[in-house]
Amino acid sequence: MNGRNRTSALTGIHGILIKRLGALAVVLFGVSVLTFSLYYLSPGDKALAIAHARYMGEGNAPPEVVQAIREKYALNEPFLTQFKLWVSGYLKGDFGQSLVSGVPVWEIFLPNLRETLALACSALLIGLPLAFFLSLVSLWRPGSLYDRIAVAVASIGAAVPSYWLGLMLILVFAAWLNWLPSFGTGTPAHLILPAATLAVWITASQTRLFRSFLLEASSSPFLEALRLRGVGEKEIFWRHILRHAMVPAITMIGLDLAYLLEGAVIVEVIFARGGIGSLLVGSVMSRDYPIVLFLVMFSAFSYVAINSLIEALQDCLDPRKSLPAPSLRAQRPITTASATDSPDNTTGDR
Amino acid sequence: MTLSPADALPVQTKNRLRQAMAQDRFVQFLLLSLAGLVALAVAGLLLTPYDPTEADFLDRLAPPSLSHWFGTDQLGRDIATRILYGSGWSIGLALIVSTAGAVIGTIVGLMAGYVGRWADPLLMRVTDSFFAFPELIAAIAISGIIGPSTNNMVIALVSVSWMKFARLTRTLTLSIGHKDFVVQARLNRLPQWLILWRHILPNLRMSILVLWTSSWSKTILAISGLSFLGFGVQPPQAEWGAMLLDGKPYMQTAPHLMIFPGLAILVTVLAINLTGDQLRDRLQDPT
């Protein structure tokens, strides 16, 4: 009896949780190994690179200094030893110091994170309502001119390179019309153009997905039964269609959140803003390994975290989904798996 | 057993593609315009009197005119010619990257989905780990740390592009692996590679093709984005993103340096995306 209970418990909600956490741990470990091998396998003498980064412009650093650096960072040790050293630092919350300035990575990271979050949130605030509006317009009369315009806007928005769009916006609104400041940070006005650039991308990806989710939900057979029972169209839309479309939409919005970071890289560089993206580009160029490693780890971890959160949320929203899942992401339909980051790939499949 | 397993195989995909192409005006239009773009690029390359990298200092930053349709850049090079040459970099490199990603991902996915047992969880956890890195961030870190160059950018982009194919192929292989015709092929003791090649792969072809088109257009954006940031194709070469980087300092005085390369990217990506959409709508829906 007891034993039977135990086996059934493993397939129950706790079993799912344990399996998922296990898979999560494996993936996070894999992410760390990959990130560190990138550093480990990078060509050139790292001690020399560190010396150069620290004493910029002094030409050749004295060999004793290079040797001291090599010993301090255990650069001659085998992969496993170095990896252990690095991971144990991370586990203790010690993310290392910038090679260039010597400031702890964490202290450099926090203000930049704030900048990026401000940018990402304002882009979401513009982009999501717009996407929602456009998809409603196209749902209003599928196949009509409005629908086509909405789809065309989304298609062009998905194809336009954000770096070019950003520069064009600067050209029009800052250089020609002189309405808004072009570069830098500071006033809220500085946020408008970058946020708009990023919002175009969000709108483009979400409109098409949201449209297809809404279309699919509005063709589900149970709506006919509701109509025959005399339920009003308004209630059908708000309580049933929208709710049905929300489940997949949340997944895609969540995935977009993770990819906002990616979009932020280019936007921040173009508009010369501070933030995680421009920090990454700058540190890669100056070979500031601790910062690069930390940022890569941060982006991967936040992607995994958001993904797991979405899955948990889906389980709560959709009672059909609370069945045991064989793997971390296997329960998502095929088409979504193929569309994790190419939103133009989901419209109308299945 | 007179019935060969091949008889049970639903290989209508090829016919379906042909049918769709014959019937569908829009698909015809798209394919024709893609072919037209390629023809135009080739013809332009053969007919243009200008060299894409040779400087002409007497004719710097000239606005669009009859002799220079898209104007000239800061070194007097004809922008139209450079865009045509750039199509080889942007479109061709992206083609190589997405094809390499598709091949690697398909092999991994087939192994995971068909071999199963220990291979499946192992390969899928590896795929998940690679998937966790946002593409552009990983590509910047990889090509930046190994050293910015075209080759390193290709390595970086391939290593972040195969996972989608692996996931898709695995899921499809899992569902097809239990179909009757595969089971029958197994009972007939066909070699594993033959089952994979003849019975499973043909049924994945169309889904992979659709994903491949979207990967192609995404890679074009990634390549020009990386080049724009300085991590990809390096400036003297006429890659579209590198051209944008070149033109950035002259944005206010000579905006044509930036407008036309950007439009080239936009049009190309849009054309590939639309073709992919149409392919998907027509090939994945019936059933």
Side-chain angles (χ1 to χ4, degrees):
Chain A
M1 188 71 187
N2 222 347
R4 220 179 122 212
N5 267 352
R6 213 165 275 155
T7 47
S8 68
L10 254 180
T11 53
I13 194 82
H14 295 290
I16 300 170
L17 214 63
I18 289 169
K19 265 186 201 160
R20 279 215 188 146
L21 284 177
L24 199 66
V26 172
V27 169
L28 291 183
F29 179 73
V31 165
S32 321
V33 171
L34 284 176
T35 311
F36 193 74
S37 358
L38 175 65
Y39 160 75
Y40 186 79
L41 296 174
S42 68
D45 186 352
K46 260 153 252 142
L48 214 57
I50 293 172
H52 276 304
R54 196 166 292 167
Y55 313 105
M56 196 106 72
E58 280 186 27
N60 291 331
E64 310 87 66
V65 174
V66 176
Q67 191 54 38
I69 289 173
R70 194 166 286 140
E71 270 159 29
K72 189 184 167 200
Y73 292 100
L75 291 174
N76 276 339
E77 302 292 327
F79 179 83
L80 222 60
T81 322
Q82 287 195 44
F83 180 67
K84 264 187 215 153
L85 208 67
W86 181 68
V87 167
S88 62
Y90 266 56
L91 289 177
K92 279 183 238 151
D94 168 24
F95 304 112
Q97 284 124 25
S98 160
L99 295 181
V100 178
S101 59
V103 179
V105 171
W106 184 248
E107 280 173 30
I108 302 178
F109 169 72
L110 272 186
N112 280 300
L113 179 68
R114 227 168 283 141
E115 294 271 339
T116 301
L117 281 182
L119 174 68
C121 290
S122 30
L124 279 176
L125 278 180
I126 307 174
L128 282 183
L130 202 61
F132 188 63
F133 171 75
L134 278 176
S135 51
L136 280 190
V137 164
S138 75
L139 186 75
W140 180 47
R141 265 179 209 156
S144 70
L145 185 64
Y146 300 106
D147 183 21
R148 284 187 194 174
I149 290 174
V151 172
V153 167
S155 307
I156 293 173
V160 68
S162 56
Y163 33 95
W164 182 70
L165 181 69
L167 291 166
M168 288 297 119
L169 287 178
I170 292 178
L171 197 62
V172 173
F173 291 101
W176 291 349
L177 297 173
N178 220 351
W179 285 352
L180 294 164
S182 51
F183 302 113
T185 25
T187 60
H190 281 101
L191 203 59
I192 297 177
L193 286 184
T197 312
L198 210 49
V200 166
W201 177 68
I202 297 169
T203 309
S205 65
Q206 292 300 329
T207 304
R208 316 194 52 186
L209 294 168
F210 218 64
R211 175 178 171 272
S212 69
F213 297 148
L214 281 173
L215 275 178
E216 198 188 309
S218 60
S219 64
S220 8
F222 71 86
L223 295 178
E224 206 50 45
L226 288 173
R227 284 203 184 95
L228 289 174
R229 261 197 268 154
V231 181
E233 282 299 317
K234 254 187 196 159
E235 200 191 330
I236 287 183
F237 178 78
W238 289 108
R239 269 194 61 186
H240 299 281
I241 297 182
L242 208 56
R243 222 173 129 187
H244 252 73
M246 238 29 218
V247 177
I250 282 175
T251 313
M252 299 320 289
I253 292 173
L255 287 173
D256 260 13
L257 277 185
Y259 278 94
L260 263 182
L261 210 72
E262 200 176 283
V265 175
I266 281 174
V267 171
E268 281 168 3
V269 170
I270 288 173
F271 290 93
R273 291 176 58 83
I276 294 178
S278 48
L279 180 65
L280 175 75
V281 172
S283 341
V284 165
M285 286 192 170
S286 62
R287 308 215 141 210
D288 203 338
Y289 291 116
I291 296 187
V292 175
L293 289 192
F294 178 76
L295 289 178
V296 171
M297 284 289 273
F298 170 77
S299 59
F301 269 55
S302 44
Y303 177 83
V304 173
I306 289 176
N307 233 346
S308 329
L309 273 181
I310 296 166
E311 262 161 28
L313 202 63
Q314 270 184 331
D315 288 348
C316 301
L317 283 177
D318 192 344
R320 287 171 301 183
K321 288 236 169 98
S322 45
L323 294 164
S327 93
L328 191 62
R329 294 189 181 94
Q331 51 169 227
R332 215 174 285 154
I334 311 159
T335 45
T336 333
S338 72
T340 30
D341 65 335
S342 59
D344 30 71
N345 210 34
T346 18
T347 15
D349 338 1
R350 300 128 239 223
Chain B
M1 278 274 173
T2 46
L3 187 72
S4 112
D7 292 333
L9 186 65
V11 205
Q12 291 153 357
T13 36
K14 224 183 213 168
N15 298 336
R16 207 187 280 162
L17 179 64
R18 219 173 276 147
Q19 246 174 26
M21 289 210 291
Q23 286 169 357
D24 208 299
R25 283 287 156 81
F26 195 59
V27 172
Q28 278 175 1
F29 171 74
L30 281 172
L31 288 174
L32 269 181
S33 47
L34 271 186
L37 275 177
V38 173
L40 212 67
V42 173
L45 287 179
L46 293 176
L47 294 177
T48 179
Y50 305 104
D51 186 274
T53 47
E54 203 176 316
D56 174 10
F57 291 102
L58 295 176
D59 215 1
R60 296 173 68 229
L61 299 173
S65 64
L66 268 183
S67 55
H68 294 287
W69 288 3
F70 294 165
T72 61
D73 68 2
Q74 74 279 13
L75 296 175
R77 299 171 294 196
D78 182 55
I79 290 180
T81 309
R82 283 173 67 73
I83 286 181
L84 288 179
Y85 272 89
S87 64
W89 285 107
S90 306
I91 304 176
L93 269 187
L95 195 64
I96 294 172
V97 168
S98 52
T99 309
V103 171
I104 297 173
T106 306
I107 292 173
V108 171
L110 278 178
M111 297 254 291
Y114 192 72
V115 179
R117 295 194 296 273
W118 52 270
D120 185 23
L122 179 76
L123 289 174
M124 278 304 112
R125 287 301 89 76
V126 172
T127 310
D128 285 346
S129 305
F130 270 90
F131 223 138
F133 299 100
E135 259 172 61
L136 193 67
I137 288 175
I140 289 174
I142 296 172
S143 68
I145 283 182
I146 331 179
S149 77
T150 308
N151 282 342
N152 293 343
M153 177 187 65
V154 169
I155 295 172
L157 285 175
V158 170
S159 58
V160 294
S161 70
W162 58 273
M163 295 82 73
K164 271 176 283 174
F165 291 97
R167 286 241 178 108
L168 177 75
T169 311
R170 172 182 174 269
T171 325
L172 292 178
T173 309
L174 278 180
S175 68
I176 291 170
H178 297 294
K179 289 258 168 73
D180 287 347
F181 60 89
V182 176
V183 175
Q184 197 184 16
R186 248 190 243 168
L187 289 175
N188 282 356
R189 306 246 166 153
L190 249 66
Q192 303 279 16
W193 63 268
L194 201 64
I195 298 179
L196 283 174
W197 184 253
R198 273 248 197 91
H199 299 276
I200 293 183
L201 209 53
N203 287 295
L204 309 181
R205 218 166 30 195
M206 282 305 138
S207 313
I208 293 175
L209 183 71
V210 170
L211 185 57
W212 176 76
T213 53
S214 93
S215 161
W216 186 15
S217 64
K218 270 197 64 117
T219 313
I220 292 178
L221 286 175
I223 286 179
S224 48
L226 282 173
S227 304
F228 176 74
L229 292 173
F231 294 115
V233 181
Q234 299 300 308
Q237 296 302 339
E239 199 277 333
W240 294 339
M243 287 173 74
L244 285 175
L245 180 63
D246 264 354
K248 203 177 154 198
Y250 306 93
M251 196 168 76
Q252 297 209 15
T253 46
H256 62 269
L257 255 63
M258 307 215 48
I259 293 176
F260 293 111
L263 280 179
I265 302 174
L266 173 60
V267 169
T268 312
V269 173
L270 193 60
I272 296 175
N273 276 353
L274 288 177
T275 311
D277 286 356
Q278 295 300 323
L279 276 179
R280 182 191 49 239
D281 287 355
R282 279 163 187 66
L283 296 165
Q284 285 200 329
D285 266 352
T287 49

